[in-house]
Amino acid sequence: PDLWADGHLHRLREGHGVALNARTGMAHTLINNTDSDARIFVMSEPFRRNSRVVHPVDPVAQAQIEKMGMLWRGAPNRKLGSNSGKPGDLSGSKRGRPAYVHHWRDILEEDECGYPNSPELHGIDAKFGKRAEYLRIGVHFEILPPGRRTSWPHCEGDEEEFVYLVSGKLDVWLDGHIHPMTEGDFIGWEAHTGQTHVCINNGTEDVLLLVGGEASRQKSRIWYPLHPHRDKETTTNFWHDHPKVKLGPHDGLPDAMRARLPAAVRKDPIKANRAAMKLKPEKKRR
């Protein structure tokens, strides 16, 4: 599709992400000027009753917003280009890529261990929310290689999360039970529910995920049911009054990782996860 921004068109390709900040006043929309469907994933904050909006090229919509008492009267006065914002209008096309558009491959971070004193590698992230310096939204694209999991099993006391499976096959661990996901599946977790979770790649190919939710808070509470030592490390962020959850038999480990453990620890999920911290680290991706 094309990104329409302030009267100019910017052609987007598969894998591009557009991160727009609040209060800039930049008018925008996405337009499909091709002959085939465009699949896009859109994430934003919930629309609030006190939200303010402008429609600079649509007088009818502008009048309707004003009637609803939601017109942004103090919006920055931005100069608009020649494009009307209607499908089929290709005027005002711009070459090059705006600073707020990134391809996920261009912003992949290093393949690093995720937890203290653990050699375990998890997903490799392209953090769009970090690039945009979002304060309220956290969103990143993630490569999850075979034999890895996105994190340790956990649940959030204050933040909502979601995972959208872009490609590949995934096992989602929920309270000790495995649920398979396939391309196009979506799963979300509400805060306060105490539902423990982690995503695991037990396949042979990379899995591509879009992961998002609320931006991490300094005082967000978290619970790790199979890593009690981590609860001690998080100190004030430990969710001490989390809901009591009866866990199923699955240990939350990738199959390949479990196969490397001594048979004596495999029957106890906590011991198995503790033993996994002592495994020889796998080779990092470059």
Side-chain angles (χ1 to χ4, degrees), residues 14 18-19 21 25-26 29 34 92 98-99 128 170 174 187 194 221 232 236 246 253:
E14 183 175 316
V18 181
N21 296 87
M26 179 187 294
T29 189
T34 72
F128 287 98
L170 191 70
L174 299 175
I187 187 169
R221 299 169 298 161
K232 295 179 181 178
T236 56
K246 184 178 180 180
L253 290 167

Side-chain angles (χ1 to χ4, degrees), residues 20 28 41-47 134 136-137 139 162 213:
L20 301 172
H28 57 275
F41 191 100
V42 180
M43 178 190 176
S44 68
E45 298 177 76
F47 199 77
Y134 284 153
R136 299 185 295 271
I137 294 178
V139 58
F162 74 80

Side-chain angles (χ1 to χ4, degrees), residues 22-191:
R23 296 180 294 277
T24 63
M26 179 187 294
H28 57 275
T29 189
L30 294 171
I31 305 173
N32 188 357
N33 285 315
T34 72
D35 296 327
S36 57
D37 291 344
R39 296 185 298 173
I40 60 176
F41 191 100
V42 180
M43 178 190 176
S44 68
E45 298 177 76
F47 199 77
R48 308 185 184 107
R49 282 298 303 172
N50 63 347
S51 294
R52 296 294 178 262
V53 184
V54 290
H55 287 278
V57 295
D58 190 335
V60 175
Q62 186 89 332
Q64 186 176 4
I65 288 295
E66 183 173 18
K67 186 177 180 180
M68 296 169 61
M70 303 180 72
L71 180 63
W72 187 8
R73 298 187 183 279
N77 186 19
R78 300 177 67 98
K79 184 178 179 180
L80 298 181
S82 60
N83 191 278
S84 65
K86 298 178 180 179
D89 183 356
L90 301 181
S91 64
S93 296
K94 287 279 190 178
R95 293 184 178 181
R97 189 187 305 172
Y100 46 84
V101 176
H102 301 280
H103 194 286
W104 62 266
R105 291 190 183 277
D106 296 333
I107 59 174
L108 277 176
E109 299 193 343
E110 295 293 325
D111 189 10
E112 299 291 350
C113 303
Y115 293 96
N117 303 313
S118 171
E120 183 180 348
L121 297 172
H122 301 281
I124 309 168
D125 296 334
K127 297 184 178 180
F128 287 98
K130 180 180 178 180
R131 283 280 174 153
E133 299 182 346
Y134 284 153
L135 299 177
R136 299 185 295 271
I137 294 178
V139 58
H140 63 270
F141 195 91
E142 182 171 339
I143 301 175
L144 189 63
R148 297 193 193 183
R149 52 184 173 176
T150 50
S151 66
W152 290 345
H154 69 284
C155 63
E156 304 274 359
D158 307 283
E159 298 174 12
E160 296 179 334
E161 306 172 82
F162 74 80
V163 168
Y164 176 77
L165 182 51
V166 178
S167 70
K169 295 181 179 180
L170 191 70
D171 286 332
V172 177
W173 183 96
L174 299 175
D175 291 339
H177 299 278
I178 290 293
H179 304 267
M181 290 178 63
T182 56
E183 182 176 322
D185 283 347
F186 175 99
I187 187 169
W189 295 279
E190 294 181 81

Side-chain angles (χ1 to χ4, degrees), residues 221-271:
R221 299 169 298 161
I222 193 167
W223 172 46
Y224 292 90
L226 302 182
H227 295 81
H229 74 280
R230 182 59 181 165
D231 293 331
K232 295 179 181 178
E233 292 174 349
T234 54
T235 60
T236 56
N237 292 104
F238 171 48
W239 190 6
H240 63 87
D241 58 346
H242 60 80
K244 303 301 179 183
V245 178
K246 184 178 180 180
L247 297 180
H250 197 281
D251 55 19
L253 290 167
D255 293 343
M257 185 178 293
R258 186 187 310 103
R260 299 167 60 196
L261 298 178
V265 301
R266 294 183 190 177
K267 294 182 180 181
D268 186 317
I270 292 180
K271 290 182 179 180

